[in-house]
Amino acid sequence: MKALRILIEGWVTSFRYPAFISGFQPTLPVPPLSTIYGIISAAKGDLVTPKDLSVGYVFSHQGKAVDLETIYELSGLQGKSNVIKREFLVNPEIYLYLDDLDYQEYFKRPYYPLLLGRSTDLVSISEIKEIELEKQKNVKLGKTILPFGLSGAFGTIQALPTHFTNTIPRKAVGTKPFILMNQFFDYSDECYYDAEKDWGVWFHK
């Protein structure tokens, strides 16, 4: 199958656990699908959901650290500042795979600034390439989120939405359990394979 592979790079990022409202804010080890569809929507300038596009991705970073961050807690028209500890990932890198080649035009000239994780986590596009993916068995697969129950996959299990609505307030859609797989494992069943990178690509539909 022909696919689009897009390399996205940034300086720092942090993916919030939905269950943590205040206090120490750990980061998810890999971006959730809602973050991926958010960045695609920003590039296109319109809402993109799993009904429009299938995606796969491989995510890596060069380390993890903790920083102090000022937040503002609002209650009606009143607000107060607070300081929390937030975990973040250094030098994030995503190889994003799309099954619609037309989307390369959106990433060549993004409609909105492309952000990853928080509103301050600006990223850039380093490469856009059309590639051929073949289905293959016995590949290394991981550094992404995978469907709960996938044979051989392991890691933290977390309920996450696939995307959000573009209404005010936004609503989470398609919430279901995923495996947060922050390393590769040997996958014996068939999936798409990127021969240049020597890894499997799991497409979410």
Side-chain angles (χ1 to χ4, degrees), residues 47 163-173:
L47 182 66
H163 62 288
F164 285 85
T165 65
N166 57 356
T167 58
I168 301 176
R170 298 187 308 158
K171 295 180 180 178
V173 180

Side-chain angles (χ1 to χ4, degrees), residues 5 97 131 133-134 192-201:
R5 189 180 69 203
Y97 295 84
I131 60 170
L133 297 176
E134 302 286 345
Y192 283 105
Y193 174 69
D194 185 340
E196 286 185 18
K197 296 298 177 184
D198 187 28
W199 59 43
V201 180

Side-chain angles (χ1 to χ4, degrees), residues 21 41 72 74 108 134 138 157 171 178 203:
I21 303 299
S41 298
Y72 296 91
L74 300 178
K108 286 180 180 176
E134 302 286 345
N138 299 315
I157 298 170
K171 295 180 180 178
F178 288 99
F203 274 87

Side-chain angles (χ1 to χ4, degrees), residues 27-42:
T27 177
L28 297 170
V30 294
L33 265 178
S34 57
T35 295
I36 299 301
Y37 278 105
I39 201 169
I40 296 170
S41 298

Side-chain angles (χ1 to χ4, degrees), residues 1-6 53-56 96-104 129-135 192-194 196 201 203 205:
M1 140 176 128
K2 287 193 177 300
L4 200 61
R5 189 180 69 203
I6 302 167
L53 184 70
S54 298
V55 302
L96 174 63
Y97 295 84
L98 309 178
D99 67 350
D100 187 337
L101 302 181
D102 291 340
Y103 274 71
Q104 62 183 306
K129 188 174 184 180
E130 291 184 17
I131 60 170
E132 187 75 27
L133 297 176
E134 302 286 345
K135 284 191 172 181
Y192 283 105
Y193 174 69
D194 185 340
E196 286 185 18
V201 180
F203 274 87
K205 301 181 179 180

Side-chain angles (χ1 to χ4, degrees), residues 183-203:
Q183 58 185 299
F184 288 117
F185 73 105
D186 296 325
Y187 184 60
S188 59
D189 292 339
E190 188 175 74
C191 75
Y192 283 105
Y193 174 69
D194 185 340
E196 286 185 18
K197 296 298 177 184
D198 187 28
W199 59 43
V201 180
W202 187 270
F203 274 87

Side-chain angles (χ1 to χ4, degrees), residues 72-140:
Y72 296 91
E73 300 169 335
L74 300 178
S75 177
L77 296 178
Q78 303 296 318
K80 65 176 183 178
S81 63
N82 197 0
V83 176
I84 64 167
K85 289 183 177 179
R86 185 183 297 280
E87 202 173 50
F88 65 94
L89 305 173
V90 180
N91 292 336
E93 180 183 87
I94 298 179
Y95 282 92
L96 174 63
Y97 295 84
L98 309 178
D99 67 350
D100 187 337
L101 302 181
D102 291 340
Y103 274 71
Q104 62 183 306
E105 295 304 318
Y106 302 135
F107 282 90
K108 286 180 180 176
R109 288 176 289 278
Y111 193 90
Y112 294 110
L114 301 183
L115 309 169
L116 188 64
R118 298 168 299 175
S119 60
T120 54
D121 297 341
L122 192 65
V123 294
S124 60
I125 305 301
S126 302
E127 182 187 60
I128 302 174
K129 188 174 184 180
E130 291 184 17
I131 60 170
E132 187 75 27
L133 297 176
E134 302 286 345
K135 284 191 172 181
Q136 187 167 313
K137 292 184 176 180
N138 299 315
V139 300
K140 67 177 185 181

